[in-house]
Amino acid sequence: MKLSQYLSIFFGLSLFFTQQIWSQQEQDTIKTDRLIITKQYSPTVNDAFKIKTKPDVTEETTLPERKINYALISVPVASTFQPTKGRAASLRMSKERDEIYNHYVRLGFGNYTNFLADYLGSLQLNAKQKLGIDFSHFSSQGGIDEAYFDDAFASNTLDVDFESDEGRWIWKTKAGFEHYSHNYYGEPIFQEPGFTFNPKHSPIQNYLGFNFGASAAIYDSFLEDVKVNYNYFSDDFDALEHQFQLKSNFNFSLGGKKIQNEVGLDYLKGEFSAVNNGYAYGQELAFEDNYGQLIASYAPSVFIEEDRFTLQIGAEVSFFNDAERNESKVFIYPKVEANYRVIPDNLIAYAGVDGGLDQNSFRSFVMNNPFVSSNLTIVPTDRQYESFVGAKGSSGQFSYNARASYKNEDARALFRNNNGPNPEFFEQANMIRPFEVGNSFGVVYDNLQTLAFDGEANYDFSQNFNLGINFNYSIFSTDNQEEAWNLPNLYTAVVSHLQLNKKWSLGASLFYVGERKDLEVFGPSDDLQSEIIDVDGFLDLSLNVNYRLNKQLSVFFLGNNLVGGNYERWNNYQVQGLQLMGGLTYQFK
């Protein structure tokens, strides 16, 4: 086939799938008229853009796994994603053939009584088997001046994995534990003298989770890999969620062409009973909401390659079943991408169209915004299509990726401020639960169209100094909501690392997140008032310095939020201001 014929196929399929998608909007959409509910969700900065250490300039091909030795170097974490400050570490490839240590410990202390403890270990049990352990703790006693309630928090995670190499196949098992504790310390929408919580309804919230999983990668077989995973997640207000996921890739030949296939199963079961001897607005609570959702998917695709041109043609068929509502639907999505190597390695032009049915969960919402209330509506997002075009490549020490895209989503979840309480019940405010005073976030669903422009670039000035830049600008359009709540139009980041010598290393990151919109609703039920709130954009600068005392022991200093002040990550939720932390890292065999 000639290039022009491949291009004709590509654009013909794109047109076909676009027509199918538009007709699907009328027939197989998740009806949002049932889902425009003032229950909570708020998209995160992660939704705006994913930060990478280096742009991906390769084509979509799978390479065999190779073992690389890594050295751990602390890199500052932006204080933009949570009011907590997460783990300030990343992995960088070793520049020198230093002695390899398989255990790593880090301890740090800072202002706000912040405490950090990390352990990362790898145990080689024998020639074929190894055990990995990853533990992380980060906590703070708080102390934000404008916090309405106690703003202390804690985060604990533990992951253990086992891997066995059987020659023709590798299998792995894993188990994990997570515990997150925080307070709903945001300022309530209303101001009422003498407002207090009943002691049994303190502003604290705890999340507890467990996960178990297994996977196998098989060489020289039509069955390439299989992955299974189970997640358990709960909170202090009797919310409970189970999620089981299975994914597998296999291939076969048809008409001389290799057909790549991916199958998936995602079952989500949960409930929000939230009774807990609680009261809502002075009345005994009887709220209960169960959900059970199954997504089964099958995605075949074929790769065609000729000279500088590659084409992936495929589709995804997803079956959705809502057990609670006794509803079932079938969705069809395009999976088409074309790459043309204009200048091999230096310039690759690409375009395509994609889609899928994305499972939302209580846990995924909490990971994005820990201040959600314990009574959300959970439904999947129908990512009907995402068309994109771009260019990527590298030249010497410089690599880049620039992309423009247009995405249409049905039932897209947006975090929005919960309503304030009805003033009629102020005299019984001590019975109100901590997330019912307008200081938590719910999830509202809407059809969202997004026109986005993304760019990322990385330059290695030398083996010891590199600089990376990320940029995203998005234009949002909603069907029912007045704004795309809590989604920033602009997001940019600059990240760098400098190895001064064998002893000293420096890291720095600068993030800017643009203005977001939120909604405050208050007043009696027969006279509700609302106001659109501008949540100001913010700048966050972080710096990290490491000094190596010897091969095993190092001293580190972290500075987070060096210029941003007590900006608001979420409406009425200020983050910690200037944060300084110092500590030690120790690695051993």
Side-chain angles (χ1 to χ4, degrees):
M1 266 191 189
K2 296 183 179 297
L3 174 61
S4 59
Q5 293 175 296
Y6 286 128
L7 290 173
S8 298
I9 294 174
F10 169 68
F11 288 113
L13 285 169
S14 299
L15 179 61
F16 169 76
F17 279 116
T18 301
Q19 291 173 336
Q20 293 298 312
I21 290 163
W22 282 111
S23 62
Q24 179 177 301
Q25 291 182 21
E26 298 298 325
Q27 300 173 7
D28 292 333
T29 58
I30 299 173
K31 292 182 172 61
T32 55
D33 58 339
R34 299 179 54 182
L35 303 174
I36 306 301
I37 303 171
T38 26
K39 297 188 178 183
Q40 297 86 350
Y41 169 115
S42 163
T44 68
V45 176
N46 294 345
D47 293 330
F49 202 56
K50 302 290 185 182
I51 299 211
K52 300 177 183 177
T53 303
K54 263 193 172 183
D56 178 12
V57 298
T58 60
E59 294 181 52
E60 300 298 327
T61 56
T62 303
L63 299 176
E65 180 183 7
R66 55 191 184 116
K67 297 180 180 179
I68 302 175
N69 292 325
Y70 289 92
L72 284 163
I73 298 175
S74 296
V75 174
V77 168
S79 44
T80 61
F81 303 100
Q82 303 179 33
T84 66
K85 298 300 173 279
R87 302 178 62 188
S90 70
L91 292 173
R92 296 185 60 83
M93 292 181 63
S94 301
K95 299 297 184 181
E96 301 177 359
R97 292 183 175 272
D98 291 339
E99 189 172 4
I100 302 301
Y101 298 93
N102 50 8
H103 297 274
Y104 167 86
V105 177
R106 182 173 61 159
L107 295 174
F109 298 89
N111 60 335
Y112 293 97
T113 322
N114 291 347
F115 174 63
L116 170 71
D118 286 335
Y119 168 73
L120 185 64
S122 178
L123 305 174
Q124 193 70 42
L125 303 178
N126 53 49
K128 295 183 177 181
Q129 297 176 332
K130 61 183 179 180
L131 181 71
I133 303 174
D134 186 356
F135 169 76
S136 177
H137 168 86
F138 190 74
S139 61
S140 174
Q141 295 305 306
I144 300 174
D145 291 338
E146 302 300 322
Y148 198 83
F149 301 111
D150 181 16
D151 58 304
F153 64 83
S155 169
N156 298 278
T157 61
L158 173 65
D159 294 294
V160 179
D161 62 85
F162 174 81
E163 178 180 318
S164 181
D165 188 342
E166 306 295 337
R168 292 191 60 186
W169 63 295
I170 295 177
W171 62 274
K172 301 178 182 179
T173 59
K174 65 173 185 175
F177 163 81
E178 57 186 353
H179 171 252
Y180 309 100
S181 176
H182 74 86
N183 287 274
Y184 290 101
Y185 67 87
E187 181 179 355
I189 289 178
F190 73 94
Q191 296 289 334
E192 184 69 12
F195 172 80
T196 59
F197 280 123
N198 187 305
K200 69 178 180 180
H201 303 306
S202 67
I204 195 170
Q205 168 70 294
N206 286 280
Y207 300 107
L208 181 66
F210 301 93
N211 68 82
F212 306 94
S215 64
I218 307 168
Y219 304 117
D220 301 324
S221 170
F222 81 98
L223 181 62
E224 297 178 357
D225 59 62
V226 179
K227 298 178 182 178
V228 295
N229 191 68
Y230 166 76
N231 268 299
Y232 167 92
F233 196 71
S234 64
D235 76 351
D236 270 355
F237 298 94
D238 293 340
L240 181 64
E241 183 175 77
H242 305 271
Q243 185 171 22
F244 174 80
Q245 296 170 302
L246 181 148
K247 287 186 179 181
S248 180
N249 289 278
F250 63 94
N251 64 78
F252 58 82
S253 295
L254 182 65
K257 294 293 183 181
K258 183 179 179 180
I259 309 298
Q260 189 70 37
N261 303 269
E262 179 178 308
V263 294
L265 187 69
D266 193 332
Y267 178 70
L268 186 70
K269 176 67 175 177
E271 62 182 34
F272 294 105
S273 56
V275 176
N276 200 27
N277 296 320
Y279 291 82
Y281 307 151
Q283 300 176 352
E284 188 170 353
L285 183 68
F287 173 84
E288 184 173 351
D289 187 15
N290 299 331
Y291 54 98
Q293 299 163 5
L294 172 69
I295 298 177
S297 61
Y298 170 58
S301 61
V302 59
F303 289 86
I304 301 172
E305 183 172 3
E306 183 174 306
D307 297 328
R308 299 182 177 183
F309 181 74
T310 58
L311 176 65
Q312 176 191 6
I313 304 175
E316 178 178 310
V317 180
S318 293
F319 170 78
F320 172 70
N321 175 259
D322 188 329
E324 294 297 324
R325 295 187 176 94
N326 196 27
E327 295 177 353
S328 297
K329 295 179 182 179
V330 176
F331 301 85
I332 301 177
Y333 302 100
K335 300 285 185 182
V336 182
E337 181 173 349
N339 287 265
Y340 182 71
R341 296 181 290 278
V342 181
I343 305 174
D345 297 331
N346 299 126
L347 177 59
I348 301 173
Y350 63 90
V353 59
D354 197 0
L357 191 60
D358 302 326
Q359 186 82 280
N360 294 313
S361 67
F362 181 46
R363 181 182 182 276
S364 66
F365 290 151
V366 170
M367 293 301 104
N368 285 327
N369 182 353
F371 306 111
V372 293
S373 59
S374 186
N375 56 348
L376 307 179
T377 295
I378 309 291
V379 297
T381 294
D382 177 13
R383 187 162 40 89
Q384 296 178 339
Y385 64 89
E386 181 177 7
S387 301
F388 56 89
V389 61
K392 57 187 176 181
S394 63
S395 178
Q397 291 76 38
F398 178 70
S399 56
Y400 67 93
N401 190 356
R403 162 180 161 134
S405 62
Y406 181 79
K407 178 167 55 177
N408 189 59
E409 299 169 285
D410 187 19
R412 168 61 188 269
L414 301 170
F415 290 122
R416 199 182 75 182
N417 228 139
N418 276 327
N419 294 2
N422 192 324
E424 298 170 9
F425 303 117
F426 279 171
E427 68 275 7
Q428 296 174 308
N430 66 329
M431 291 182 170
I432 297 175
R433 293 174 300 163
F435 54 80
E436 293 179 328
V437 293
N439 63 339
S440 64
F441 296 84
V443 177
V444 294
Y445 292 88
D446 199 1
N447 300 329
L448 182 69
Q449 297 81 43
T450 306
L451 176 64
F453 302 92
D454 299 317
E456 52 185 337
N458 188 88
Y459 189 79
D460 293 323
F461 292 89
S462 68
Q463 283 192 340
N464 298 320
F465 178 49
N466 75 291
L467 180 69
I469 299 175
N470 278 260
F471 170 84
N472 167 264
Y473 179 73
S474 298
I475 301 173
F476 304 108
S477 176
T478 56
D479 285 359
N480 298 293
Q481 298 296 314
E482 296 176 82
E483 301 283 350
W485 308 117
N486 282 293
L487 286 180
N489 291 105
L490 178 63
Y491 173 70
T492 188
V494 180
V495 181
S496 66
H497 178 265
L498 173 63
Q499 187 74 40
L500 292 173
N501 51 45
K502 291 184 178 180
K503 295 285 188 180
W504 290 94
S505 64
L506 305 173
S509 60
L510 180 67
F511 295 84
Y512 176 76
V513 176
E515 182 182 272
R516 291 135 290 147
K517 302 287 187 180
D518 208 332
L519 185 71
E520 292 186 353
V521 180
F522 49 90
S525 55
D526 59 351
D527 186 26
L528 285 177
Q529 301 179 47
S530 64
E531 180 182 2
I532 294 179
I533 303 299
D534 292 329
V535 184
D536 294 337
F538 58 85
L539 190 70
D540 192 310
L541 173 64
S542 296
L543 178 68
N544 123 290
V545 180
N546 289 271
Y547 179 72
R548 189 175 182 181
L549 297 172
N550 55 48
K551 289 184 177 181
Q552 293 178 264
L553 185 63
S554 298
V555 178
F556 71 86
F557 167 79
L558 300 176
N560 286 327
N561 197 12
L562 298 179
V563 298
N566 295 108
Y567 61 79
E568 291 185 351
R569 177 61 189 92
W570 304 101
N571 184 35
N572 293 325
Y573 275 92
Q574 294 186 339
V575 302
Q576 294 178 355
L578 175 67
Q579 301 155 51
L580 302 176
M581 174 178 284
L584 297 172
T585 62
Y586 181 70
Q587 52 187 359
F588 59 97
K589 291 186 177 181

